[in-house]
Amino acid sequence: MATSAAPTYLTPEEYITLERKAIPDAETVRSEYVRGKIIPMSGASRAHNLITMNISVMFHVSLKGQECETYANEMRVSTPSTSSYFYPDVVVVCEEPRFEDDVFDILLNPIILVEVLSPSTEAYDRGEKFMHYRELPSLQEYILVAQDKICVERFSRQENNWILTDFQNIEEHLPLISVQCELSLREIYDRVTFPE
């Protein structure tokens, strides 16, 4: 979840140094990094947190016994071809995770990325961020989840194209072909209330 602010330009190395120093400091705001520009991250709503945790737990349970790992909120993902770094809400990696360096906090090969949408970030998550994510050769599915209504969108890579399928019924299940599992929309939205 990003917010706009006056741009600050840093090298990738300067950005990583700042972010790694900020992790122990609870008062420091995390930031994403897009081609030299720092994009501060805002706090998440209750619905956003519930949805993120529900999805993360479902992946963890569904993928148990497979060679997959699930991360929520704190795993940075790098798109080296665009010199950018992001904090997806949920990340799934299968096969051996590849990291940028020996600190193991910048993932290079996610297979699934999930973003929970908010009014301030929806255009960014659908547009510029997705443009960067598409540069990841390992990425097979990109999931966007609304927090103000029942709506889950799955973008699946098919060769050089991304195919959109949306799900808007609480009784539906989201099939994830890349990891051969499905997530219940009822469980994705467990305990989430919607505005009238």
Side-chain angles (χ1 to χ4, degrees), residues 11 39 80 120:
T11 67
I39 302 170
S120 64

Side-chain angles (χ1 to χ4, degrees), residues 37-97:
K37 184 173 64 173
I38 299 296
I39 302 170
M41 307 289 288
S42 64
S45 69
R46 175 179 181 264
H48 187 286
N49 282 312
L50 284 169
I51 292 166
T52 299
M53 188 55 63
N54 290 343
I55 292 170
S56 180
V57 167
M58 285 189 289
F59 272 130
H60 179 74
V61 170
S62 297
L63 300 176
K64 204 169 192 85
Q66 294 188 37
E67 296 294 319
C68 297
E69 296 177 6
T70 303
Y71 306 104
N73 293 320
E74 299 297 326
M75 180 58 72
R76 247 185 320 273
V77 169
S78 173
T79 59
S81 66
T82 66
S83 301
S84 301
Y85 297 87
F86 302 95
Y87 285 98
D89 291 312
V90 180
V91 179
V92 176
V93 60
C94 295
E95 70 184 45
E96 188 66 29

Side-chain angles (χ1 to χ4, degrees), residues 56-146:
S56 180
V57 167
M58 285 189 289
F59 272 130
H60 179 74
V61 170
S62 297
L63 300 176
K64 204 169 192 85
Q66 294 188 37
E67 296 294 319
C68 297
E69 296 177 6
T70 303
Y71 306 104
N73 293 320
E74 299 297 326
M75 180 58 72
R76 247 185 320 273
V77 169
S78 173
T79 59
S81 66
T82 66
S83 301
S84 301
Y85 297 87
F86 302 95
Y87 285 98
D89 291 312
V90 180
V91 179
V92 176
V93 60
C94 295
E95 70 184 45
E96 188 66 29
R98 290 193 335 270
F99 296 94
E100 187 168 277
D101 57 26
D102 62 0
V103 181
F104 307 112
D105 63 349
I106 304 170
L107 185 67
L108 300 174
N109 63 328
I111 192 168
I112 297 173
L113 295 175
V114 179
E115 295 288 358
V116 179
L117 302 174
S118 65
S120 64
T121 65
E122 182 170 355
Y124 174 65
D125 290 343
R126 290 181 181 286
E128 185 176 4
K129 188 182 276 192
F130 188 26
M131 178 190 75
H132 289 278
Y133 285 163
R134 289 192 303 255
E135 296 296 316
L136 293 163
S138 62
L139 186 64
Q140 296 301 307
E141 293 176 283
Y142 181 49
I143 311 302
L144 296 175
V145 183

Side-chain angles (χ1 to χ4, degrees), residues 147-149 193-196:
Q147 63 174 304
D148 60 345
K149 62 184 175 186
T193 56
F194 302 105
E196 296 277 331

